[in-house]
Amino acid sequence: EISLGLVGSEMCIRDSASAGLLSDRDVILAVVKVEEMGLMLWEASDELKADKEVVLAAVAQNGDALAAAAEELKGDREVVLAAVKQTPWALEFVSDDLLADREVLLAAEKAHPQAFREMVSCDEALRGCYERACAAGAGAGAGAGAAAAAMS
């Protein structure tokens, strides 16, 4: 018998074979799809932390679950976009290549303008990436760079 239950904001998986459940793709996929349970990715096996479908489901619920994902998925555009659309704070865990990616930065800004502006104002490295991305896309259209404009 398997018992899934909430303890505070954490989900507990209780049974005599819980370690096996943390490697069971169907169980972990079902758990991380539950609202606010994306961080259960931390408890999953390394194999599941590298499973794109599982990680996408987790970051859709909690973008910070990107921290638990395998390194290669921190550089996967689809996974990263899903994470930063959920929370711009996921940028902390993004690969260097995608941190400098205009589409990723603008997605984070569009989804959470105020939080993104706060991040850019406090993080010099992020601000530099953002300013370079905006400058590179300056001819691509208006609307890009609200946070950069707010910094001026």
Side-chain angles (χ1 to χ4, degrees):
E1 176 180 296
I2 298 170
S3 172
L4 296 177
L6 290 175
V7 177
S9 63
E10 297 296 317
M11 179 163 283
C12 294
I13 302 175
R14 300 172 202 240
D15 83 329
S16 59
S18 62
L21 290 176
L22 297 174
S23 296
D24 185 304
R25 185 177 191 278
D26 293 332
V27 169
I28 293 298
L29 190 56
V31 170
V32 299
K33 285 182 177 180
V34 174
E35 188 173 348
E36 300 299 320
M37 290 292 108
L39 288 178
M40 280 299 293
L41 186 63
W42 279 107
E43 305 301 325
S45 67
D46 289 343
E47 179 181 333
L48 294 177
K49 290 175 184 176
D51 183 308
K52 185 173 178 175
E53 183 181 2
V54 171
V55 173
L56 273 170
V59 300
Q61 291 301 324
N62 188 322
D64 289 334
L66 186 62
E71 287 302 314
E72 63 269 15
L73 292 178
K74 293 176 184 180
D76 181 282
R77 178 179 305 280
E78 182 181 6
V79 170
V80 167
L81 284 170
V84 301
K85 287 176 182 175
Q86 204 282 324
T87 178
W89 302 105
L91 287 168
E92 182 179 345
F93 313 113
V94 172
S95 71
D96 289 342
D97 287 343
L98 288 181
L99 187 58
D101 184 277
R102 183 174 188 273
E103 181 183 4
V104 168
L105 294 171
L106 293 180
E109 178 185 30
K110 182 178 180 183
H112 307 279
Q114 182 61 36
F116 185 79
R117 280 191 294 275
E118 290 173 21
M119 290 179 66
V120 169
S121 69
C122 295
D123 186 324
E124 189 174 321
L126 178 60
R127 184 170 46 252
C129 287
Y130 182 70
E131 289 170 352
R132 285 188 296 279
C134 287
M151 300 292 114
S152 303

